[in-house]
Amino acid sequence: SIMINEGANLGSNGIANNSNIGTFIVNESVSYNGNGNDRITQALEVAKGKTLTIGNSGTLYFNSTTNGTIDNAGTIAGNLSNVSNSTLGTFINSGTINGNINNEGTITSIDNSGVITGEIVSGSNGQTSQIDKIINTGTIGTAKTKVATFKTLVASNQDASSNFSDAISLNTITTTEISNGGLINGNIRVKGQSDIQELNNTNTIDGCIILEGGRIGNINNTNG
């Protein structure tokens, strides 16, 4: 395990990891560089007001055989990837993740009250993957066209969905619930054999809900 205490200074090179780190606790801003074979195997915590900058490929990888955890209250500058057969029991973001979240394993819950600027992707290559719940009261995704353009495209029978980036793209087994009480700034795309049992929206989905061969049990839009 590695703990970076507040006030610590590791210089511009920061941490280089070519193997496994169990628990990685970031209480001071630091850079992290892996070689593609690097893994976090238990937990990642980033403190409020601190930044973890992921270098090289821009991705930090998890491979947890038990219920691993991510708790970000600060800023993660880079992508996060949960690899095949890895299990993340808790994924909490109350800060900012400037990148994508890619899942090839199992994530019990993604609870976002902060900002995820990229896309949440699960099972992109058709592998067995699972996200049980996505609960959003913050913001997921950033790129979209203007609403005026969107309305014009709908009126002229063009494909409006292609003018929005995906904020959530699932090719998973079963997702019990997607619950949005914040802003999903882009498309929610459900494909393959995915089974989304509930999609509940009480705020804003500023994109399209796209079904590509999967299933959505119920879509509930309440004052959203």
Side-chain angles (χ1 to χ4, degrees), residues 135-154:
I135 302 168
N136 179 54
T137 54
T139 300
I140 299 173
T142 56
K144 69 177 187 65
T145 57
K146 295 180 180 179
V147 174
T149 305
F150 176 61
K151 289 180 178 178
T152 301
L153 288 165
V154 172

Side-chain angles (χ1 to χ4, degrees), residues 189-222:
R189 188 180 302 270
V190 180
K191 53 188 179 178
Q193 300 300 312
S194 294
D195 186 349
I196 312 302
Q197 296 180 2
E198 296 277 346
L199 199 167
N200 298 311
N201 179 52
T202 57
N203 204 315
T204 302
I205 299 172
D206 214 346
C208 304
I209 299 170
I210 304 166
L211 195 59
E212 294 181 348
R215 174 184 179 274
I216 300 176
N218 292 295
I219 298 174
N220 302 311
N221 188 48
T222 307

Side-chain angles (χ1 to χ4, degrees), residues 10-159:
L10 276 71
S12 58
N13 292 328
I15 295 172
N17 178 34
N18 299 325
S19 184
N20 294 334
I21 295 174
T23 300
F24 188 19
I25 299 176
V26 180
N27 291 322
E28 187 55 77
S29 296
V30 68
S31 62
Y32 172 96
N33 293 282
N35 67 350
N37 295 314
D38 55 301
R39 299 290 186 267
I40 305 297
T41 62
Q42 295 176 26
L44 170 67
E45 297 180 16
V46 181
K48 185 177 181 179
K50 308 304 179 182
T51 299
L52 172 63
T53 302
I54 304 168
N56 288 341
S57 66
T59 300
L60 190 151
Y61 296 92
F62 279 81
N63 187 7
S64 177
T65 56
T66 56
N67 289 328
T69 62
I70 295 176
D71 188 351
N72 176 50
T75 298
I76 297 176
N79 305 307
L80 298 174
S81 180
N82 189 43
V83 303
S84 180
N85 298 317
S86 174
T87 299
L88 277 173
T90 303
F91 192 139
I92 299 172
N93 179 54
S94 58
T96 299
I97 298 174
N98 286 320
N100 298 320
I101 297 169
N102 184 63
N103 177 53
E104 298 175 0
T106 297
I107 300 176
T108 301
S109 177
I110 296 178
D111 190 340
N112 177 56
S113 59
V115 176
I116 300 170
T117 66
E119 181 183 2
I120 297 175
V121 184
S122 188
S124 59
N125 297 317
Q127 67 272 35
T128 299
S129 61
Q130 179 94 20
I131 299 177
D132 292 339
K133 286 186 179 182
I134 298 174
I135 302 168
N136 179 54
T137 54
T139 300
I140 299 173
T142 56
K144 69 177 187 65
T145 57
K146 295 180 180 179
V147 174
T149 305
F150 176 61
K151 289 180 178 178
T152 301
L153 288 165
V154 172
S156 60
N157 294 317
Q158 296 183 42
D159 183 6

